Amino acid sequence: MEEMCKRYKPRPLRLAEMRKRLTNRYVTLGVLISMSWVLGCRHTTPGNQEARTSELNKQLQSIEAGSYKAGDTRSINIPGTDVSIKMVYVPGGEYTIGSPAGEDGRTEDEGPQRVVTISPYWISQFEASDDEYSIFRFADRDADTTAVVGATYSVDGVSRPSPPYEDPAFGLGGSGKPAVGMTQWGALHFAHWLTEKTGVFFRLPTEAEW
């Protein structure tokens, strides 16, 4: 596999550098999200190397030109379904995180205050919904479809969350409602799965971004 990765990366340094610049300039999230690219060699083939390089260049130019503004939205469809995730653009900047020492009801873990700097990013407009997470949780709701050019995707090849012992929503979950009862490990793999399905890099937000 390592040898195949080397063979199918004729211009690794150029792509790696653009990925680094994009990551530094445009934090991509999911439940959080980013631009339409995926790290790693598994989706890179000789046929789409030049196309991906060109697309990364366009994305970088768009970012540097400041083509997005606060509140801009975009929808990312989960391939093989009619479910989409609506994302909202958040511009970068600085702000003070934490609560003032003299605030009523303040607890020790709310300080000390400090100034943090964040890069621009996209974040989902709403919490991850049951409709979205259920496609990952239940194989029969998934489809052998991916938006990643040149890649293959198999429903049977996905490791999915173990079934809960009881209803984690206690009867309050369902379509149109937030997904509940997942572990952090499950949430991390949900983001990874979204990346594999959509070709867009998803991750969880940091404390400062949230």
Side-chain angles (χ1 to χ4, degrees), residues 3 26 37 46 51 72 82 93 102 105 133 160 165 167 175 181 184 195-196 209:
E3 197 56 39
Y26 197 90
W37 52 280
D72 281 353
D82 58 0
Y133 192 70
R160 303 181 189 275
Y165 289 105
D167 178 12
S175 180
Q184 183 183 34
T195 300
E196 295 290 315
E209 291 162 345

Side-chain angles (χ1 to χ4, degrees), residues 25-161:
R25 288 180 173 272
Y26 197 90
V27 181
T28 34
L29 310 187
V31 226
L32 282 147
I33 174 182
S34 143
M35 312 305 264
S36 300
W37 52 280
V38 179
L39 298 176
C41 73
R42 64 177 300 179
H43 300 313
T44 304
T45 62
N48 68 10
Q49 185 76 219
E50 289 302 319
R52 294 181 72 248
T53 300
S54 175
E55 179 62 22
L56 285 169
N57 269 320
K58 290 178 182 178
Q59 291 175 2
L60 185 57
Q61 291 168 5
S62 176
I63 294 166
E64 293 176 335
S67 58
Y68 298 106
K69 62 181 183 299
D72 281 353
T73 61
R74 61 184 298 197
S75 291
I76 306 298
N77 173 254
I78 299 178
T81 75
D82 58 0
V83 177
S84 294
I85 302 174
K86 190 172 184 179
M87 313 301 297
V88 179
Y89 180 73
V90 180
E94 293 185 349
Y95 77 97
T96 301
I97 190 172
S99 302
E103 183 178 84
D104 289 340
R106 179 183 185 274
T107 57
E108 188 175 347
D109 63 358
E110 294 178 35
Q113 286 188 302
R114 64 187 187 280
V115 175
V116 295
T117 301
I118 60 173
S119 299
Y121 61 95
W122 293 83
I123 186 166
S124 55
Q125 186 174 25
F126 307 104
E127 298 93 340
S129 71
D130 184 77
D131 301 84
E132 298 158 3
Y133 192 70
S134 290
I135 302 171
F136 169 55
R137 174 176 282 172
F138 304 110
D140 60 348
R141 302 188 187 185
D142 201 354
D144 293 327
T145 310
T146 176
V148 181
V149 177
T152 57
Y153 175 88
S154 173
V155 169
D156 295 332
V158 178
S159 295
R160 303 181 189 275

Side-chain angles (χ1 to χ4, degrees), residues 10-21:
R11 304 170 70 179
L13 294 178
R14 183 177 178 186
L15 281 173
E17 179 60 26
M18 282 190 290
R19 287 170 178 153
K20 180 179 178 181
R21 292 175 65 192

